[in-house]
Amino acid sequence: MRTLVVAVVVAVIAAAAILAATRAGHRGGSASGSGHSSGGPATALATRPSAGPHSQQTATTHSPADSRSPASPAPAPASAAVHAVSTSTGAAMGLSITPVGSTGRPWTSGTLGAGAAWSTIKVPLVMASLSAGTATLGDADVRAAIISSDNAAAERLTRRLGTDAAAASAVKAQLVARGDTTTVPARVRTRPDFSVLGQTSWRLDDQAAFLATAACRPHDAGLLKLMGQIEQDQRWGLGTLPGARFKGGWGPDTSGHYLVRQVGLVTVSGRSYAVAMAARAPDGSFAAGTAALDQLATRLPALVRALPAGAAKGRC
């Protein structure tokens, strides 16, 4: 009898040890395999592959390490507008739109879902400069970076924040504060002729969600006002709409084909929407890219009026 009891006890202890080891193995596999762990978003970001400065991703493509909710498929009017302009111009296009005050993922349509931020990164760069106290809204470099998209001014603002890595960290903090926890500001100049931050891969849906949150932050009101003063030769796309506050960005990939993009706020029938859109024309030219965004912008007022009424706040 004593021998039997000892055998049973040994078997129970062995089984418990096996179970504990199995559970520990599952925790490790989950953390390393999915990019998620108790470390939070930073762990997922560290394992997320970096898209190149001229990458094209579809609006619904996600990395296995991507911790975001999926982009919301656009309602029929938005999809129809993007499809019509893309068919008319031959351009690869993308559109993300979300009502100001909404907590849901932006509606997203088109085949062009991400790419180099180019000069649209100047918006969070200025936010970082203001937050760090290295610049003020009245600073000539701040005004030039936003109103004129002056690259030299933006570089001076970047250097005031410190090294490329320090500037990237400061910009990252501003993105996170406005709900974009997944974009990773570039720290390395993969293309030496362009600014390091401009080479950040920024998804359209993340960009729209970021600006929709900024629109409800009193501290961002002064910067948004500057975005309503963009100089005339950059008032294409969203800039053709009355009262729009926006920032454009554009630049060539390694084959010389331009990605042209904008992020901004538009108001229709008293409701405000954050919009991010991009185009790459079939001939790769800047002019054809801006012309495609002009066409899409003309459809935006009717498009937002046709969006589902119950899904939008449109105000803070």
Side-chain angles (χ1 to χ4, degrees):
M1 175 64 75
R2 181 176 298 174
T3 302
L4 178 59
V5 170
V6 171
V8 170
V9 171
V10 171
V12 170
I13 293 173
I18 292 171
L19 179 59
T22 302
R23 287 175 175 169
H26 284 181
R27 284 195 298 270
S30 174
S32 62
S34 68
H36 299 283
S37 77
S38 58
T43 304
L45 290 174
T47 59
R48 184 183 179 197
S50 174
H54 56 281
S55 69
Q56 291 191 48
Q57 299 175 3
T58 63
T60 55
T61 297
H62 297 276
S63 158
D66 198 334
S67 60
R68 288 169 296 198
S69 301
S72 299
S79 295
V82 173
H83 179 73
V85 176
S86 183
T87 300
S88 170
T89 63
M93 302 197 71
L95 171 69
S96 284
I97 183 168
T98 190
V100 166
S102 172
T103 57
R105 292 298 301 168
W107 294 307
T108 302
S109 183
T111 60
L112 190 55
W118 296 123
S119 287
T120 62
I121 203 69
K122 290 170 181 171
V123 175
L125 170 60
V126 167
M127 290 172 175
S129 300
L130 298 176
S131 178
T134 57
T136 65
L137 278 173
D139 192 303
D141 283 340
V142 166
R143 295 183 60 82
I146 298 299
I147 295 173
S148 305
S149 203
D150 187 287
N151 291 332
E155 183 65 20
R156 287 190 291 271
L157 291 175
T158 303
R159 295 284 67 85
R160 293 187 207 177
L161 292 170
T163 64
D164 286 345
S169 294
V171 169
K172 173 66 177 175
Q174 300 307 308
L175 296 175
V176 170
R178 293 159 184 81
D180 180 359
T181 61
T182 57
T183 299
V184 183
R187 294 168 175 253
V188 178
R189 296 173 188 262
T190 56
R191 297 177 65 187
D193 292 342
F194 300 98
S195 72
V196 60
L197 290 173
Q199 296 176 56
T200 299
S201 181
W202 202 356
R203 288 174 56 98
L204 296 183
D205 55 348
D206 284 333
Q207 198 170 48
F210 157 82
L211 200 62
T213 300
C216 292
R217 290 170 57 99
H219 286 118
D220 291 334
L223 173 55
L224 294 176
K225 184 177 180 180
L226 286 182
M227 291 167 63
Q229 302 172 27
I230 302 299
E231 63 184 29
Q232 191 59 41
D233 66 354
Q234 295 177 28
R235 299 191 70 84
W236 32 265
L238 294 177
T240 64
L241 301 177
R245 293 165 289 168
F246 66 98
K247 182 71 192 77
W250 57 95
D253 63 16
T254 54
S255 64
H257 287 72
Y258 271 75
L259 171 70
V260 184
R261 64 186 300 169
Q262 288 178 314
V263 61
L265 298 168
V266 298
T267 301
V268 178
S269 301
R271 294 182 180 272
S272 295
Y273 298 81
V275 179
M277 58 185 191
R280 182 178 280 109
D283 67 357
S285 70
F286 170 77
T290 59
L293 292 186
D294 282 345
Q295 286 197 33
L296 186 56
T298 64
R299 295 172 178 266
L300 282 176
L303 183 161
V304 297
R305 289 190 186 99
L307 292 176
K313 288 177 64 178
R315 53 179 66 93
C316 298

